[in-house]
């Protein structure tokens, strides 16, 4: 009986309906005590932190595991969000500055990322709360970006979490994010360089969701996102984030064309975009001395991503009319290469895309290639259909849950009526780029 009274006094009981009203606060005090213990030990025993950092990281990962187990086992589902925010806010203080030393902040950030990445999570509750707390309270970019990247990846890569309080979707996680920086250029550049492309995508979605953007804002966003592409270190590991980033770039492009805002500038940036995608499309590097003799370095991207880059680049080139405007109606003619000009080694042409159907390397993608060629040859598809083309390729070649929302792209808006002087639509046989 005495033991039961002590447990009740501490707020502990297997019956979650009979917790004390201040039990949540007591849990928060426990986590705060752990953080205080870590910061005090790191300040008094700097040699220990330097020689045996795993002692501190294990403490943090064990605390996170205990927090998640407690939320799942003892907290009603409708209260897990508020309880998780309370606990995670206390824990992320170990990486948000204040009493924590720089070395402890780095160790704490690494421990959180390791736990989020490698731990088998029972519920998204703590991950959602951790994402929100890190986004609002961790300001150091070197610690903030890895935690956000890990949380976004863990939440949206899990195939079985649909239906949890309205599903774990991009719309929901974006609503939890916060980016207080007035000038996000440094954060976006660092994220791109470090391969944290989910953070870049999340920021773009967050800004478009929470801010009323005018045409100039869209142009700035389109330009800045395109300028980030050369900063990315290509590898198979960042491909999903790269696809998300490309999807957002083409979405903003479609908005700009619909707004008819600064189309000449948009055209120039779009040309830079197609040039970058064209560099990523070949199987081997096309620049440099070795590439000149056919010994270019093997592309670090997978075959499916190179095909996506080639398809989008080819389609955009077809929609960029020679008078520095875009095809917005089926009656507008496609862009064509002047056959009287010498061959300049143009990359990503429609003929090259057609040739992939006979390339044995691309045999697994034969159906997708055929559909892509038909999409590009159809004069009814204009610049505003670029997201739909990307969605078709993603649906066929990218099964990752992180990209599932891209395949739900609805039909494009009906095109505006053509001008009286517009020429008739060209036949399929005439489409040659």
């Amino acid at each position: 009986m005495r033991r039961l009274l002590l447990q009740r006094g501490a707020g502990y009981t297997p019956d979650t309906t009979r917790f004390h009203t201040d039990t949540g606060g007591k849990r928060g005090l426990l986590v705060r005590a752990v953080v205080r213990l870590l910061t005090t030990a790191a300040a008094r025993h700097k040699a220990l932190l330097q020689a045996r950092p795993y002692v501190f990281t294990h403490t943090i990962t064990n605390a996170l595991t205990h927090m998640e187990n407690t939320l799942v086992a003892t907290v009603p589902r409708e209260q897990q969000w508020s309880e998780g925010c309370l606990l995670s806010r206390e824990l992320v203080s170990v990486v948000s500055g204040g009493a924590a030393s720089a070395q402890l902040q780095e160790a704490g950030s690494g421990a959180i990322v390791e736990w989020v990445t490698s731990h088998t999570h029972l519920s998204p509750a703590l991950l959602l709360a951790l994402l929100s707390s890190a986004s609002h309270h961790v300001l150091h970019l070197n610690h903030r970006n890895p935690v956000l990247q890990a949380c976004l990846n863990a939440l949206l890569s899990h195939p079985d979490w649909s239906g949890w309080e309205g599903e774990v979707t991009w719309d929901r996680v974006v609503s939890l994010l916060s980016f207080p920086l007035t000038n996000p250029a440094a954060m976006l550049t660092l994220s791109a360089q470090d391969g944290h492309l989910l953070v870049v995508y999340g920021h773009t979605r967050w800004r478009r969701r929470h801010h009323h953007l005018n045409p100039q804002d869209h142009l700035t966003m389109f330009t800045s996102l395109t300028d980030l592409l050369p900063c990315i270190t290509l590898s198979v590991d960042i491909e999903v984030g790269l696809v998300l980033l490309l999807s957002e770039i083409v979405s903003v492009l479609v908005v700009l064309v619909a707004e008819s805002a600064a189309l000449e500038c948009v055209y120039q940036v779009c040309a830079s975009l197609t040039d970058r995608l064209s560099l990523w499309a070949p199987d081997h590097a096309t620049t440099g001395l070795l590439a000149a003799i056919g010994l270019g370095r093997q592309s670090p991207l997978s075959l499916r991503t190179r095909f996506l880059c080639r398809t989008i680049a080819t389609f955009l080139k077809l929609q960029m009319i020679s008078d520095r405007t875009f095809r917005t109606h089926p009656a507008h003619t496609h862009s064509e290469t002047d056959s009287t000009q010498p061959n300049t080694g143009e990359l990503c042409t429609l003929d090259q895309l057609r040739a992939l159907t006979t390339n044995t390397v691309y045999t697994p993608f034969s159906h997708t290639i055929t559909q892509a060629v038909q999409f590009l040859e159809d004069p009814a598809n204009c610049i505003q259909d670029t997201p739909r083309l990307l969605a078709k390729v993603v649906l066929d070649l990218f099964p990752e849950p992180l990209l599932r929302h891209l395949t739900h792209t609805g039909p494009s808006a009906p095109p505006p009526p053509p001008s009286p002087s517009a020429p008739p639509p060209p036949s399929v046989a005439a489409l040659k780029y």
Side-chain angles (χ1 to χ4, degrees):
M1 177 63 69
R2 182 180 301 173
R3 180 181 178 184
L4 179 60
L5 290 175
L6 290 174
Q7 289 177 344
R8 290 289 180 85
Y12 174 80
T13 173
D15 184 1
T16 60
T17 63
R18 302 176 67 180
F19 274 130
H20 286 187
T21 56
D22 60 347
T23 298
K26 293 178 181 178
R27 294 194 188 101
L29 288 175
L30 175 61
V31 177
R32 187 181 304 173
V34 172
V35 173
R36 181 65 179 271
L37 176 64
L38 287 168
T39 55
T40 303
R44 294 182 179 179
H45 307 284
K46 297 179 181 179
L48 176 64
L49 176 59
Q50 187 171 4
R52 303 174 65 184
Y54 60 87
V55 174
F56 295 84
T57 58
H58 284 183
T59 302
I60 295 173
T61 55
N62 289 339
L64 284 166
T65 301
H66 182 70
M67 287 161 55
E68 185 172 73
N69 292 341
T70 301
L71 283 178
V72 174
T74 65
V75 179
R77 186 170 175 175
E78 63 274 8
Q79 299 177 15
Q80 288 182 6
W81 164 251
S82 58
E83 292 283 342
C85 286
L86 175 65
L87 299 179
S88 61
R89 189 183 308 119
E90 295 291 348
L91 187 70
V92 298
S93 62
V94 80
V95 297
S96 61
S101 64
Q103 191 171 358
L104 180 59
Q105 291 179 43
E106 184 175 354
S109 174
I112 294 175
V113 171
E114 178 187 357
W115 180 82
V116 171
T117 305
S118 60
H119 183 69
T120 301
H121 302 285
L122 305 175
S123 163
L126 185 59
L127 288 176
L128 289 168
L130 192 61
L131 174 71
S132 178
S133 297
S135 177
H136 285 81
H137 301 291
V138 181
L139 301 181
H140 197 299
L141 296 181
N142 288 331
H143 306 322
R144 171 195 177 93
N145 289 348
V147 173
L148 295 184
Q149 173 80 11
C151 289
L152 289 171
N153 187 65
L155 281 166
L156 293 154
S157 295
H158 202 292
D160 301 325
W161 281 346
S162 60
W164 192 90
E165 290 191 9
E167 298 186 352
V168 178
T169 63
W170 270 108
D171 284 339
R172 184 176 184 202
V173 298
V174 167
S175 69
L176 304 179
L177 294 174
S178 175
F179 295 91
L181 300 177
T182 55
N183 182 10
M187 181 203 69
L188 296 177
T189 302
L190 181 63
S191 298
Q193 291 173 344
D194 293 341
H196 300 145
L197 300 186
L198 300 186
V199 178
V200 179
Y201 179 73
H203 173 269
T204 307
R205 289 281 300 264
W206 171 83
R207 190 175 178 208
R208 295 180 69 185
R209 175 190 177 102
H210 295 285
H211 295 78
H212 178 70
L213 303 181
N214 56 41
Q216 182 59 43
D217 294 329
H218 282 127
L219 178 59
T220 302
M221 179 180 291
F222 180 52
T223 304
S224 61
L225 291 178
T226 303
D227 290 342
L228 286 179
L229 297 181
C231 302
I232 300 173
T233 302
L234 300 180
S235 70
V236 177
D237 296 333
I238 57 93
E239 287 186 342
V240 171
L242 182 60
V243 173
L244 289 171
L245 182 56
L246 292 178
S247 72
E248 201 65 11
I249 290 175
V250 298
S251 296
V252 177
L253 170 61
V254 170
V255 171
L256 283 168
V257 174
E259 293 173 339
S260 300
L263 286 183
E264 185 172 349
C265 295
V266 176
Y267 191 98
Q268 293 176 353
V269 179
C270 189
S272 299
L273 172 62
T274 57
D275 289 344
R276 178 57 51 179
L277 295 179
S278 298
L279 289 177
W280 291 347
D283 299 338
H284 294 80
T286 57
T287 58
L289 180 61
L290 293 178
I293 58 176
L295 298 176
R297 183 173 60 89
Q298 175 71 33
S299 172
L301 296 175
S302 67
L303 193 65
R304 61 177 186 170
T305 302
R306 298 200 302 271
F307 173 74
L308 175 65
C309 292
R310 180 183 297 277
T311 303
I312 298 300
T314 304
F315 183 72
L316 289 177
K317 288 182 178 182
L318 287 171
Q319 309 309 314
M320 299 170 68
I321 304 176
S322 57
D323 59 353
R324 305 184 74 79
T325 57
F326 297 93
R327 288 187 71 247
T328 57
H329 194 277
H332 298 157
T333 57
H334 284 73
S335 173
E336 294 182 344
T337 300
D338 189 351
S339 59
T340 63
Q341 297 295 325
N343 185 6
T344 59
E346 184 76 19
L347 297 174
C348 295
T349 65
L350 187 53
D351 281 342
Q352 292 175 358
L353 191 63
R354 291 190 183 108
L356 295 183
T357 57
T358 59
N359 189 329
T360 56
V361 176
Y362 286 85
T363 300
F365 302 160
S366 58
H367 176 70
T368 306
I369 295 172
T370 301
Q371 285 194 324
V373 170
Q374 292 174 351
F375 190 97
L376 269 64
E377 289 177 339
D378 187 353
N381 295 321
C382 303
I383 186 70
Q384 59 266 28
D385 296 295
T386 311
R388 195 158 58 90
L389 173 61
L390 185 142
K392 286 179 175 292
V393 178
V394 169
L395 181 62
D396 284 350
L397 304 182
F398 294 84
E400 287 83 353
L402 271 163
L403 304 175
R404 188 177 300 163
H405 65 292
L406 298 182
T407 63
H408 298 158
T409 303
S412 58
S419 60
S421 59
S427 63
V428 170
L431 298 180
K432 184 177 181 180
Y433 185 82

